[in-house]
Amino acid sequence: MTEAAMWRGIIHTYRPFLRIAPIDPITLYEGNTPLLPAPQLARALGFAGCLYLKYEGLNPTGSFKDRGMTTAITQAAADGARAVICASTGNTAASAAAYAARAGMRAIVLVPAGRIALGKLSAAMAYGAAVLAVEGNFDTALDLVRRAVDDYPLALVNSLNPYRLEGQQTAAFEICDALGEAPDWLCIPVGNAGNITAYWKGFRAYHRAGRIATLPRLLGVQAEGAAPLVHGRPVDRPETVATAIRIGRPARGPEALQAVRESGGRFLAVSDAEILEAWRMIAALEGLFVEPASAASIAGLRRALAEGIVPNRPEVRAVAVLTGHGLKDPEVAMQTLPPPIAVAPDWDALRRILEGLLDAP
Ligand code: AN7
């Protein structure tokens, strides 16, 4: 690979668009994730348009959070921070821990006790973060973190930190660079609402710069049991199988509502059953293994097509953001699949099974 072609992360690539201190980036070479056409999934959804999947699970720690963490930790380093803190449903914790390790900083992460996927918890611990399990949900943990940064010299790296959004908007840049245009619709799971806010910021920046002629409509998708932005009020006890988006008081809620309104888009809620069905389809039809929260984008698109929100026409281009890797949280969703087929350790037993499998339609 030539020097010019070598990917060195989102700050290196998009620096002119990012308001961030001009120091050497703290980076794991995040970003540059695939935008994959998904024709089989589109067909199964009955969608006549073009569907693309932005596979953010291929970032260094397995989620989109790395885009915002390279910028937040780089800025924290420029500001002389020695320690960072965040509340998290898991992915932010893992990402903060990894980038803090790279920067030689201490990371303190507050997570809801017992409600964080093992792939996230184990990663945060391995990267050397102090992991604090709070008896409460994400919203309670974030309240505590806000209090902590008032009293101690800690850099807050939740998406309340504006440098998080600076980095996360680069996913919108990449989508436009790949398509040569903005899509008509962007379907995205929403928890604390930082990511959808960042995407809108990114699309608008590219539009202002003349890189794209039109702006997309945003489809923000929440889980039914944790849908404050759909129902227009906070949810005290958020509940969903998609633990990543089990959030009742999104910190960036007002901006997200405004972004969706400005774009002419919509917020939708989908059930856990719809999320798990979409999760299975994404894997079985396109070969992409994602965590349950990520599948909300496809469950939401399906709902939006059924309700006529997204027009079902051949010229419509839709991008669904797959925010996190399936290896983060294989356990919960696997309970909805049939168990492996037991086979006795001899050839006859295997032969009978193979014949059954190969005869099946
Ligand atoms: C896989 O890690 O909030 O609406 O603390 O992990 O920007 O919050 C994670 C959120 C979607 C929602 N998909 O993004 C956290 C956290 C996955 C996620 C979201 C999250 P935001």
Side-chain angles (χ1 to χ4, degrees), residues 7 23 36 48 96 129 199-200 227 231 236 247 251 296 301 303 306 316 352:
W7 181 265
I23 66 166
L36 290 154
Y199 267 86
W200 187 239
H231 301 127
D236 285 340
I247 293 173
L301 173 60
R303 199 45 108 76
V316 174
R352 277 195 302 277

Side-chain angles (χ1 to χ4, degrees), residues 113-320:
R115 297 303 301 262
I116 161 175
L118 190 59
K120 305 174 186 181
L121 180 62
S122 57
M125 291 167 65
Y127 294 130
V131 179
L132 314 184
V134 178
E135 283 300 335
N137 57 34
F138 170 87
D139 305 293
T140 312
L142 185 56
D143 288 343
L144 289 169
V145 163
R146 289 189 199 234
R147 179 64 216 277
V149 298
D150 282 345
D151 285 12
Y152 292 95
L154 294 162
L156 172 78
V157 294
N158 279 106
S159 59
L160 287 163
N161 177 331
Y163 298 102
R164 281 278 308 279
L165 302 196
E166 288 296 316
Q168 281 175 213
Q169 67 178 326
T170 60
F173 300 162
E174 288 180 15
I175 289 170
C176 297
D177 289 345
L179 294 178
E181 241 324 319
D184 299 298
W185 282 86
L186 183 92
C187 314
I188 182 171
V190 176
N192 209 28
N195 209 27
I196 191 169
T197 302
Y199 267 86
W200 187 239
K201 177 177 160 65
F203 285 123
R204 277 186 318 165
Y206 249 34
H207 190 245
R208 265 197 314 276
R211 302 274 184 115
I212 52 175
T214 60
L215 289 165
R217 293 174 194 268
L218 303 179
L219 185 73
V221 189
Q222 300 206 284
E224 259 173 21
L229 300 176
V230 180
H231 301 127
R233 61 189 135 72
V235 175
D236 285 340
R237 273 181 293 279
E239 209 42 82
T240 167
V241 68
T243 54
I245 52 174
R246 190 169 159 263
I247 293 173
R249 282 185 280 125
R252 292 277 184 181
E255 287 112 307
L257 284 167
Q258 195 188 333
V260 166
R261 200 178 313 119
E262 271 176 36
S263 79
R266 273 285 289 272
F267 271 106
L268 273 184
V270 292
S271 69
D272 280 2
E274 290 174 288
I275 288 174
L276 292 171
E277 170 69 0
W279 171 84
R280 197 191 52 74
M281 291 171 78
I282 296 163
L285 295 173
E286 298 295 351
L288 299 181
F289 191 37
V290 301
E291 64 171 283
S294 302
S297 60
I298 288 298
L301 173 60
R302 187 179 213 174
R303 199 45 108 76
L305 286 164
E307 293 181 13
I309 295 164
V310 171
N312 199 353
R313 290 201 303 265
E315 70 275 15
V316 174
R317 289 207 285 191
V319 170

Side-chain angles (χ1 to χ4, degrees), residues 55-69:
Y55 194 24
E56 289 287 276
L58 290 194
N59 276 295
T61 78
S63 85
F64 71 94
K65 303 286 184 182
D66 295 342
R67 293 180 185 277
M69 212 51 79

